[in-house]
Amino acid sequence: SQQGEEDPQALSIQEGENATMNCSYKTSINNLQWYRQNSGRGLVHLILIRSNEREKHSGRLRVTLDTSKKSSSLLITASRAADTASYFCATDEGGGFKTIFGAGTRLFVKA
Amino acid sequence: DAGVTQSPTHLIKTRGQHVTLRCSPISGHKSVSWYQQVLGQGPQFIFQYYEKEERGRGNFPDRFSARQFPNYSSELNVNALLLGDSALYLCASSSDRGGETQYFGPGTRLLVL
């Protein structure tokens, strides 16, 4: 089963535009993480936000977390062609011993 | 420092066979997790091991098993392979018991014919 559900499933934008992806989850969490995956390779950790945090920044990335709505968003500003990838949210479950990933958002950034 | 390594990178098996996948975590990391990723989907959690003990298990049949060795490397074993086992198998390591940042290997792509 998948806890996180990303929206939209796919997103196509022009270089320089901002990209926003959303994630919803079902149960209470300790933290939520976002990962990037290029062309079916290993995942790269982008950012972790804890349940007592509402917003976090890392470079061109901005993540928000609304635990009352059980949702998170990832904003990539000034996108580049190199940002083309699949983006997944992941939540912890079972005391942190189980990480549940969503189905992902496929981002295409056109040069 | 070397990242998470996995072997082999690609594997082709036939139905009914057995497969062993291997993972070496980042030096100093004691936790290893295994995931199955079918094309077009997100990774599905299979197992987590910490200090050589199984700490978490996903919804996978008993055909899937794993173990962690004293040096914290890990093996994932799958018996009686089915066509549906074709997937990218990802290993991730972390420095703690879980829920924190995981570092992923490049994966092993398994094709079952």
Side-chain angles (χ1 to χ4, degrees), chain B residues 46-88:
Chain B
I46 309 176
F47 288 109
Q48 192 205 59
Y49 277 77
Y50 177 76
E51 287 279 20
K52 301 180 287 294
E53 290 187 10
E54 182 183 306
R55 295 292 184 176
R57 185 185 181 111
N59 296 325
F60 281 81
D62 292 343
R63 299 186 295 108
F64 288 76
S65 64
R67 55 179 176 169
Q68 187 176 32
F69 299 99
N71 65 355
Y72 303 111
S73 66
S74 178
E75 282 183 355
L76 175 70
N77 296 284
V78 187
N79 293 323
L81 285 167
L82 304 173
L83 296 180
D85 295 330
S86 295
L88 179 68

Side-chain angles (χ1 to χ4, degrees), chain A residues 23-34:
Chain A
C23 167
S24 61
Y25 57 92
K26 298 173 184 174
T27 65
S28 61
I29 59 172
N30 294 314
N31 62 62
L32 184 144
Q33 304 180 56
W34 285 90

Side-chain angles (χ1 to χ4, degrees), chain A residues 1-2 31 33 35 37 39-43 45 48 50 88 92 95-103 106, chain B residues 35 37 40-45 48 55-59 88 90 97-102 104-106 109:
Chain A
S1 63
Q2 291 185 315
N31 62 62
Q33 304 180 56
Y35 288 83
Q37 185 178 37
S39 302
R41 298 176 187 171
L43 280 76
H45 182 263
L48 178 152
R50 301 190 186 281
F88 297 92
D92 63 322
F97 300 133
K98 191 173 181 180
T99 302
I100 307 299
F101 283 82
R106 278 88 185 148
Chain B
Y35 297 85
Q37 187 178 25
Q41 297 183 18
Q44 296 284 311
F45 174 82
Q48 192 205 59
R55 295 292 184 176
R57 185 185 181 111
N59 296 325
L88 179 68
L90 295 163
R97 298 174 60 133
E100 299 291 327
T101 301
Q102 295 182 69
F104 282 80
R109 191 163 296 281

Side-chain angles (χ1 to χ4, degrees), chain B residues 7-42:
Chain B
S7 63
T9 55
H10 295 81
L11 203 52
I12 299 176
K13 292 285 188 178
T14 57
R15 282 176 296 176
Q17 285 188 315
H18 162 91
V19 68
T20 297
L21 311 181
R22 295 177 176 82
C23 170
S24 291
I26 291 172
S27 177
H29 284 190
K30 299 180 179 179
S31 174
V32 170
S33 297
W34 287 95
Y35 297 85
Q36 179 196 65
Q37 187 178 25
V38 174
L39 192 63
Q41 297 183 18

